[in-house]
Amino acid sequence: MESSLVVLHDAQTVLHRSVELIAHNVIDALESPDRIHRIVKTLQSKQWHWLTFLDITIQETDWKPIPDNIHGSKYIQHLKTIFERFLRENAVDEDGCVLPECFPHRLLLTAGNGDSDMTSDDVPLPVDPFAHLGYYSFDLSSGISKETFRSAMVAANLGIIGVDKLLAQMAQDPAQPSQPLFCLTRPPGHHACHSLAGGYCYINNAAVAADYLVSKLPKERSTPIGSRVVILDLDFHHGNGTQSIFYTRKEPAYISIHGENAYPYYTGRSSETGSGEGQGFNRNLPLKLRPESTRDDYLLKLDTALGVIKEEWSAQYLVISMGFDTFRLDPLGGFELDIDDYAEIGRRISALGLPALALLEGGYSDELGELVSSFLSGLHR
Ligand code: SP5
Ligand code: ZN
C-alpha cells in the first residue's frame, strides 16, 4: 500500500484567542483561530489521494508533561492558572483576554545592581497578577484567554504524537523512505523561551518535539561529529525561543532563515553560533527584506541551509518550524515568496531524503490554506 503524508489536527487548537496592539488600536490578533479553519478547508477541498487528514482529540489526561529543560515548571504552572486567577479577582470577563503590564528585563538593571547576573529564578515573582504576565512574557503579543493553555498544550502534544508516528512508520517499514508529517500546531511556538511567552507563542512546539525525538534515539552517540536531529526554521521571524532553549546543546541543532533586523529585533544574527557543547550547532541565515532580496536569494539561502544540515551536521532527522509569513502578501512579512515557491521549498527539503516532521508556525495572509497546500504538494514523497 502506498503510504501517505499525514496532517495532524486537533480542533482544540482553535479555542485560544488573543488581541494585539497595532499602533493605538486593540484588535483581534492576526494569529487567529481562522488560520486553522482556512488550512483545513483548503486541504479538504483538494481531495489529494496522497494526503491523510487525521483529526484527533487529545484528552487532557493524555497530555505529556513539558520537560523542565524546555520550559520551567513554574512558567507552565503560570500559563495553566493565571487566567483563573484573573477571573476569581474579577479582573477579566470569561470571554476576555489579558495582556502583560510591566516587563522586568531592563527595569531590573536600574535597581542598583546593573552589573549582577541575576537570572529569572533569582528575581522574586511579584504578588500582583498583572505583574505575572510581564514576568513570564517578553512582549505584548502573548495575551491569555480562557483556553490558551489548553490550545498550547494540545499543540505541543500534536508534535509529540507526530514524532511517535514518524518513528512508528520507520520501524514498520525501514526500507521505505518515510513520509513527512505536518502538524497543525496553534498557537505557534518558536518565539517561546524557557520561561517567557511572546510573539503569539507560549509553548515551543518544535523544541518539545525535537527534544522528545532526541530522547527516543539511542543513548550512545552514533555520530561523534554532527547532530542527528536538526530544527530547520523557515518562519519569516527568527525563532529566538528555539535558539535560546538549545543554544548550549548540539542535539538538536538549530538553523534559521529569517528577515534581517525584523521582529524580534534582538536575536538572529549570523554571529550567534551556539556555546559550550552547542558551539557550531546554531546557525542564523538572515536575509534582507524586499526589494533588497528576491525569491532566488531565498532559495539560495535554503540550499545553503540544506547543505549545512546534510554535509556539515550529517542530520538523520528534520524538525521543520514552518512559517508562511514569508509570503509576499503576508501582513507581517517582508519577503517575496509566491504560492508556487512553497512547493519548491517542499521539494528541496524532500530531496534530502530525511525523515521529517513539520510544524506550523506563523502565516497570516488570506492565502494561508493555499500556501500550506503548495508546501505539502512539494514535500510528499
Ligand atoms: C509566530 C510568529 O510569526 N510570530 C510573529 C509575531 C510578530 N509580532 C509583532 C510584529 C510587529 C511587526 N510590525 C511591523 C509590520 C511590518 N509590515
Ligand atoms: Zn513569524
Side-chain angles (χ1 to χ4, degrees):
M1 197 193 78
E2 199 190 338
S3 69
S4 58
L5 183 151
V6 171
V7 174
L8 268 177
H9 169 66
D10 183 321
Q12 294 172 92
T13 59
V14 304
L15 295 174
H16 158 69
R17 16 167 243 90
S18 189
V19 295
E20 67 185 312
L21 285 163
I22 300 285
H24 59 282
N25 295 312
V26 179
I27 61 163
D28 286 342
L30 290 177
E31 200 294 285
S32 68
D34 192 59
R35 296 176 62 236
I36 299 295
H37 293 139
R38 297 203 291 273
I39 297 170
V40 172
K41 206 174 134 200
T42 311
L43 286 179
Q44 285 178 342
S45 74
K46 302 285 183 192
Q47 304 214 328
W48 281 326
H49 65 90
W50 48 264
L51 191 148
T52 301
F53 189 85
L54 258 188
D55 189 359
I56 61 176
T57 305
I58 310 172
Q59 300 299 328
E60 195 164 337
T61 46
D62 294 329
W63 293 355
K64 288 254 176 36
I66 306 299
D68 211 56
N69 57 324
I70 306 301
H71 290 295
S73 56
K74 289 177 189 160
Y75 169 66
I76 295 293
Q77 194 60 21
H78 155 78
L79 292 178
K80 183 177 179 175
T81 56
I82 191 68
F83 190 83
E84 284 300 322
R85 176 156 178 213
F86 277 104
L87 270 186
R88 276 201 308 278
E89 300 185 9
N90 294 314
V92 69
D93 294 332
E94 186 86 13
D95 61 350
C97 173
V98 268
L99 292 181
E101 184 191 56
C102 183
F103 298 112
H105 314 141
R106 300 210 55 197
L107 189 56
L108 275 172
L109 300 177
T110 69
N113 42 18
D115 291 334
S116 81
D117 59 350
M118 283 201 286
T119 65
S120 70
D121 271 353
D122 304 322
V123 179
L125 178 66
V127 176
D128 188 290
F130 282 96
H132 289 202
L133 288 168
Y135 186 92
Y136 287 118
S137 315
F138 66 81
D139 73 3
L140 282 168
S141 50
S142 51
I144 305 262
S145 63
K146 189 172 172 58
E147 302 288 15
T148 296
F149 182 67
R150 170 176 301 279
S151 295
M153 282 301 282
V154 165
N157 276 270
L158 278 177
I160 290 172
I161 291 170
V163 169
D164 279 337
K165 289 197 178 296
L166 188 68
L167 294 175
Q169 190 194 114
M170 293 171 70
Q172 198 180 6
D173 205 345
Q176 198 73 8
S178 66
Q179 279 290 352
L181 285 104
F182 187 69
C183 303
L184 294 184
T185 38
R186 175 182 186 270
H190 76 149
H191 294 304
C193 303
H194 178 264
S195 297
L196 288 172
Y200 308 141
C201 301
Y202 306 84
I203 296 177
N204 195 315
N205 308 310
V208 170
D211 181 70
Y212 180 70
L213 177 52
V214 169
S215 79
K216 292 284 164 186
L217 301 182
K219 277 290 157 289
E220 72 274 20
R221 298 298 325 281
S222 54
T223 43
I225 51 156
S227 179
R228 292 172 296 180
V229 177
V230 172
I231 300 173
L232 170 63
D233 191 329
L234 298 181
D235 188 274
F236 172 74
H237 305 100
H238 179 242
N240 61 295
T242 317
Q243 166 171 304
S244 72
I245 288 168
F246 297 125
Y247 207 65
T248 59
R249 281 171 62 171
K250 62 186 289 183
E251 275 185 351
Y254 177 77
I255 187 160
S256 172
I257 303 170
H258 49 267
E260 187 168 78
N261 300 325
Y263 179 94
Y265 308 114
Y266 301 98
T267 66
R269 299 191 212 272
S270 53
S271 56
E272 298 155 14
T273 55
S275 68
E277 275 187 34
Q279 178 61 53
F281 293 93
N282 191 90
R283 195 70 60 93
N284 287 321
L285 303 172
L287 179 62
K288 293 202 186 317
L289 275 51
R290 61 170 180 259
E292 266 81 55
S293 79
T294 64
R295 65 177 286 277
D296 292 333
D297 296 325
Y298 186 91
L299 292 173
L300 271 175
K301 280 256 194 276
L302 179 65
D303 287 343
T304 303
L306 298 178
V308 170
I309 291 168
K310 191 83 176 177
E311 269 95 58
E312 209 174 309
W313 290 342
S314 312
Q316 297 172 14
Y317 296 87
L318 211 49
V319 172
I320 306 159
S321 266
M322 193 59 206
F324 297 88
D325 37 13
T326 44
F327 180 48
R328 63 185 182 86
L329 297 176
D330 193 278
L332 292 184
F335 287 163
E336 280 273 89
L337 298 187
D338 216 331
I339 296 178
D340 291 344
D341 293 326
Y342 292 90
E344 182 59 24
I345 292 168
R347 278 191 291 276
R348 292 189 191 197
I349 292 172
S350 186
L352 283 185
L354 297 175
L357 178 75
L359 300 101
L360 178 66
E361 297 285 358
Y364 310 99
S365 66
D366 291 340
E367 291 82 353
L368 180 59
E370 289 299 335
L371 305 182
V372 172
S373 300
S374 176
F375 175 63
L376 296 183
S377 73
L379 191 67
H380 89 92
R381 301 201 233 270

